[in-house]
Amino acid sequence: MTLQQTTAPASASAPGSQIILTGDRPTGPLHLGHFVGSLRDRVTYQHQYRQFVMLADSQALTDNMDDLSKVHRNVLEVALDYLAVGIDPAKTTIFIQSQIPELTELTFYYLNLVTVARLERNPTVKAEIVLRGFERDIPAGFLTYPASQAADITAFKAGVVPVGEDQIPMIEQCNEIVRRFNRIVGRDILVEAKAFVPEVGRLPGIDGKAKMSKSLGNTINLGASADEIRAAVKNVYTDPLHLKVSDPGHIEGNVAFSYLDAFDTDKEGLAEMKAHYQRGGLGDSIVKKRLEGILQDLLAPIRARREEFAKDPAQVMKMLQEGTLKAREVAAATTDEVKKALGLSYF
């Protein structure tokens, strides 16, 4: 069955469509790729939908058990990024995955609804296994990631899950689990989810690699200082064949223009710059100067808010605790429904 995909969050008439689940693995500070891919949309959605945002620390451990402090310390760092971009805990439920044991319980039940062969065939899992060089030494928790993600989505009965193109197979497998569970118990307990792919897709790294990634060190963090932004923009990959100012330049594959497409609101002026660059007579330094100015203006207020929230980490952790308690109530209710449907409620 082909996954239903939305170009915008689903209409309020569909089951679960008013509930959105999204989140991040806390393995490092968030960057411009996260901002384009999800963060700025979350700020909008929180005014229109019931939104849950998860700090997926349990899932982060599936390939970080040798560096536990990395996950622990970045829970606070990612929470600071959320607050800095404008995600409001009064409108969005922000929670920590590991503090909701019902998610682990649901994962266990769902593992009985999927085979090892099907988990290994998941294109997203296969790609990540290659990326991490696991070969056959795959942590079992990493291989079963699709079942864990299905637990996260279904626990909150989310009808919409914003994801990148590469994550669509995960939503497909979640829906397979949902359909099989509902068929076995004879009624629709769980809700299928629709993938929402943002208009601006994956942002390339400053080095020209296809993905901006913390592990590749080719990011511009949301909390970057003015000097760090300036240095990063200076190293942004452009057109290697554009050796002289007079040479015609190429737009495709030019990271500077990819970023301008994502962040420059003056589309008419940008179109003129692109035309000038393509016919020759425009140096990379001018393009980068425009880009730096835009990024400095974008990130300066985010950085300032982040620094302000960072002054009181205890208050940030209290916010996470309160959000986690709210989220657990919802997850516990779903888990009770699942257990009753499976005949596991005895008392």
Side-chain angles (χ1 to χ4, degrees), residues 88-166:
D88 184 353
K91 296 181 174 67
T92 292
T93 303
I94 307 172
F95 67 95
I96 302 175
Q97 182 187 37
S98 65
Q99 303 306 295
I100 303 183
E102 287 81 5
L103 300 180
T104 305
E105 185 175 359
L106 287 175
T107 299
F108 180 78
Y109 298 144
Y110 294 171
L111 285 173
N112 297 306
L113 301 174
V114 63
T115 66
V116 172
R118 176 64 182 94
L119 291 169
E120 289 180 328
R121 287 199 307 272
N122 186 298
T124 305
V125 173
K126 288 171 65 176
E128 293 293 333
I129 287 172
V130 172
L131 179 65
R132 287 163 173 76
F134 286 146
E135 296 182 354
R136 292 304 299 170
D137 293 324
I138 309 166
F142 190 89
L143 182 62
T144 59
Y145 181 89
S148 173
Q149 190 171 69
D152 300 331
I153 295 169
T154 59
F156 302 99
K157 299 194 175 181
V160 178
V161 182
V163 293
E165 289 278 357
D166 61 325

Side-chain angles (χ1 to χ4, degrees), residues 7-69:
T7 54
S11 66
S13 61
S17 64
Q18 290 182 302
I19 301 174
I20 289 180
L21 175 78
T22 182
D24 301 280
R25 287 160 43 102
T27 55
L30 303 184
H31 50 67
L32 284 178
H34 295 109
F35 184 79
V36 167
S38 60
L39 294 178
R40 62 182 176 185
D41 287 331
R42 295 177 197 177
V43 175
T44 300
Y45 298 156
Q46 68 186 352
H47 301 291
Q48 305 167 344
Y49 303 89
R50 187 179 186 188
Q51 180 171 243
F52 293 87
V53 175
M54 180 178 70
L55 287 155
D57 59 335
S58 296
Q59 289 173 354
L61 289 180
T62 61
D63 59 336
N64 285 284
M65 283 296 286
D66 59 344
D67 190 0
L68 299 178
S69 65

Side-chain angles (χ1 to χ4, degrees), residues 86 143 189 199 231 241:
L143 182 62
I189 301 289
E199 290 182 12
L241 301 178

